[in-house]
Amino acid sequence: MVGRALASVVAIVAAVDAQYGPYQHWWNVAMSADGQTVVGLTGGTNFHVGYPLPAPNVFRSTDSGTHFTQVSDDGDLNACSSGMQTQCTWMGVSCSADCLFVAAVSDSGFLYWGDFPSGGWARSSSPVLSYKAVVVRADSNQLYAISNGAGSTSSGYIIRCPVSPLMEACDYVQPSEQQWNSIASSSDGKRVAATSWDECSGGGGRLYLSNNSGTAWSPVGSPPGDCFMAPIVAMSRDGQTLVVVENSYRGKVKVSADFGATWTADAASPTIDDGQTTGFIAATCSADGGVIAVAEAFGAIYISYDHGGSWEHSFHHVW
């Protein structure tokens, strides 16, 4: 399934040129459990100077990324409609196991959701400043999101919402007053992991875990350590395997196969051997956690087939 995910990312890049022009700006993708359905977010901010800002939209593929269909109307998913910003950015997208329910968040503070095949989109009524990420439970009955700031406060929140009725009975969980960077959950939503940033000296963050659907949280000490730089977390569907990557100079990759009880040693991290020393920006793993893929900022992708024990350098600067 990791291989299918990587193939779909490449397919999305190809679709940009083949279907929608070279300046369609893709932000995030989500995939169904069987790898057949891919959902991608476009628009928000365009870094190509001199070209008009594209409208935020959602594209959907049901053939593993070979062909995409636009499933939102231009402007319907206005990520900047809060009036707080003139240019906004999609921050995350997630879907249920069959990808018939899709949720997306933007840094302007709104949560969007849509149902397929009937279509139709809705948006939360009140902005929560600067959403960072969202994750949907496999059965689509619950989702988690993280935000950096709510109302007039500067601290971030972990938000737990039932999908129906969405946003009418949400819990704002705040393990400690800090900004959040990433979130992941098991397929049943019982195990949840979140990472903070800028919480300790030097801008590092911590990993927090919950094994009761986000009701109570505990920080993980060392490893990964109190000052893991800009950490991003991924989790297997059964909640056993955790992958934490560090987005910093010579960043590390940490893997736990027992929900954070033990971790791989620093020496097990993949070595960036292509002359670059940048950190890792993304991670994903198979349903059982046995296969793990991580990406570093200059485009190299590393894959492990043994729970992070060893790594293969699979792609070299694909961007």
Side-chain angles (χ1 to χ4, degrees):
M1 197 57 63
V2 171
R4 285 188 177 183
L6 295 176
S8 292
V9 171
V10 175
I12 287 174
V13 174
V16 173
D17 292 324
Q19 293 180 261
Y20 305 108
Y23 300 107
Q24 185 73 253
H25 200 106
W26 294 86
W27 279 105
N28 307 94
V29 294
M31 178 176 280
S32 60
D34 62 6
Q36 290 298 306
T37 302
V38 183
V39 177
L41 303 180
T42 69
T45 300
N46 196 320
F47 295 115
H48 297 282
V49 177
Y51 289 87
L53 184 72
N57 275 306
V58 179
F59 290 83
R60 186 169 182 261
S61 168
T62 56
D63 54 11
S64 299
T66 303
H67 302 91
F68 282 86
T69 301
Q70 184 173 323
V71 291
S72 61
D73 294 329
D74 287 352
D76 279 359
L77 304 183
N78 188 355
C80 301
S81 56
S82 64
M84 293 180 291
Q85 298 164 298
T86 58
Q87 288 190 341
C88 303
T89 300
W90 288 115
M91 299 305 293
V93 63
S94 182
C95 63
S96 55
D98 55 14
C99 240
L100 295 180
F101 177 86
V102 180
V105 292
S106 77
D107 63 357
S108 64
F110 287 101
L111 170 67
Y112 301 81
W113 62 94
D115 289 292
F116 297 93
S118 59
W121 293 88
R123 190 195 73 185
S124 56
S125 58
S126 300
V128 177
L129 299 182
S130 192
Y131 269 114
K132 185 72 174 180
V134 64
V135 59
V136 176
R137 206 168 78 179
D139 62 5
S140 76
N141 286 330
Q142 188 178 58
L143 63 80
Y144 298 93
I146 52 175
S147 71
N148 289 332
S152 61
T153 67
S154 59
S155 59
Y157 283 84
I158 297 177
I159 302 165
R160 177 181 58 190
C161 298
V163 166
S164 181
L166 192 61
M167 298 302 292
E168 292 186 14
C170 294
D171 297 319
Y172 288 75
V173 184
Q174 187 178 9
S176 58
E177 294 185 1
Q178 74 264 322
Q179 305 292 295
W180 295 101
N181 197 49
S182 69
I183 190 166
S185 78
S186 57
S187 60
D188 61 8
K190 292 182 179 178
R191 288 185 166 178
V192 194
T195 60
S196 65
W197 66 276
D198 203 21
E199 183 181 355
C200 53
S201 176
R206 293 185 173 92
L207 171 67
Y208 289 79
L209 300 177
S210 172
N211 60 10
N212 55 8
S213 301
T215 300
W217 296 80
S218 300
V220 175
S222 180
D226 286 340
C227 285
F228 207 58
M229 298 302 295
I232 299 170
V233 65
M235 183 185 294
S236 59
R237 293 182 64 190
D238 61 8
Q240 284 291 106
T241 299
L242 295 170
V243 182
V244 181
V245 297
E246 189 175 26
N247 186 10
S248 66
Y249 176 74
R250 293 183 178 176
K252 300 295 184 181
V253 177
K254 289 287 190 178
V255 180
S256 172
D258 49 18
F259 194 57
T262 59
W263 296 84
T264 54
D266 285 349
S269 290
T271 301
I272 301 177
D273 57 4
D274 53 8
Q276 304 294 343
T277 54
T278 186
F280 296 94
I281 59 171
T284 187
C285 62
S286 58
D288 63 359
V291 182
I292 301 169
V294 297
E296 56 97 7
F298 279 91
I301 296 175
Y302 299 82
I303 298 180
S304 171
Y305 295 94
D306 56 4
H307 290 275
S310 59
W311 296 87
E312 297 181 7
H313 196 165
S314 298
F315 291 91
H316 299 262
H317 303 300
V318 295
W319 308 125

